[in-house]
């Protein structure tokens, strides 16, 4: 399968590089976040996550009973029209949770990721996990919040 801008082959290479880094820098925060998500978030919730956590959740068998999809890589949700429009309806309030990391926060600003920025701006922290200097912040989307612009 090819997403046009990001093939599955590219994803495999990307995952290999990130996993090597996270084994030394951020592994525990990711593992803690994954375990917390599995224990506390309903399996039909729609999550936006980064690629290492997306793989970890899938490998752990956590997926929605309703759709077979549990989470979406934030780049795809913002850039792939089939996901941005087809899944999210170009509407930040479709997401239930976003699992924010420092890399995501930087990408949101640098790449002008408007949909993901709106999700972050309309979400509140639920839980944060830290290991060394790295953090993973689980945020719940506030469905009744007025839309705001810009990334945190």
């Amino acid at each position: 399968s090819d997403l046009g801008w990001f093939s599955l082959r590219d994803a495999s290479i990307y995952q290999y590089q990130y996993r090597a880094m996270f084994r030394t820098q951020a592994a525990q925060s990711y593992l803690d976040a994954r375990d917390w998500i599995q224990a506390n978030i309903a399996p039909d919730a729609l999550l936006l996550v980064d690629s290492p956590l997306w793989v970890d959740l899938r490998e752990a068998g956590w997926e929605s009973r309703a759709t077979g999809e549990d989470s979406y890589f934030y780049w795809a949700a913002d850039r792939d029209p089939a996901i941005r429009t087809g899944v999210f309806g170009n509407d930040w309030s479709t997401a239930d949770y976003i699992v924010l990391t420092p890399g995501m926060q930087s990408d949101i600003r640098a790449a002008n990721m408007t949909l993901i920025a709106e999700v972050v701006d309309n979400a509140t922290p639920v839980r944060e996990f830290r290991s060394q200097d790295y953090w993973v912040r689980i945020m719940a989307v506030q469905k009744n919040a007025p839309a705001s612009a810009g990334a945190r």
Side-chain angles (χ1 to χ4, degrees):
S1 175
D2 184 16
L3 299 176
W5 53 271
F6 194 78
S7 72
L8 291 179
R9 181 185 137 310
D10 293 335
S12 296
I13 293 167
Y14 184 74
Q15 283 303 317
Y16 175 79
Q17 291 169 342
Y18 263 88
R19 283 182 177 252
M21 179 181 79
F22 288 128
R23 281 192 184 109
T24 58
Q25 292 180 5
Q28 194 59 52
S29 56
Y30 270 93
L31 294 173
D32 291 344
R34 181 203 61 202
D35 293 346
W36 191 89
I37 289 167
Q38 289 180 288
N40 295 284
I41 295 180
D44 60 347
L46 190 58
L47 278 72
L48 287 165
V49 299
D50 67 2
S51 59
L53 189 55
W54 183 85
V55 170
D56 286 344
L57 286 168
R58 302 291 289 185
E59 287 178 353
W62 193 80
E63 58 184 51
S64 169
R65 289 182 218 134
T67 64
E69 290 295 328
D70 56 345
S71 57
Y72 288 89
F73 177 43
Y74 70 104
W75 272 96
D78 199 84
R79 297 294 196 249
D80 184 341
I83 297 173
R84 183 179 178 122
T85 305
V87 174
F88 289 91
N90 205 29
D91 179 1
W92 62 267
S93 67
T94 303
D96 296 309
Y97 292 88
I98 185 163
V99 183
L100 192 65
T101 64
M104 288 172 66
Q105 195 170 40
S106 176
D107 287 347
I108 291 166
R109 287 188 202 107
N112 193 28
M113 302 178 92
T114 57
L115 178 63
I116 306 306
E118 286 182 302
V119 172
V120 172
D121 286 344
N122 290 288
T124 56
V126 174
R127 192 71 197 260
E128 184 171 292
F129 299 95
R130 289 184 171 268
S131 61
Q132 297 177 8
D133 293 330
Y134 198 84
W135 51 264
V136 176
R137 184 177 302 140
I138 300 168
M139 302 176 73
V141 177
Q142 303 304 304
K143 303 291 187 168
N144 297 323
S148 57
R152 290 182 181 181

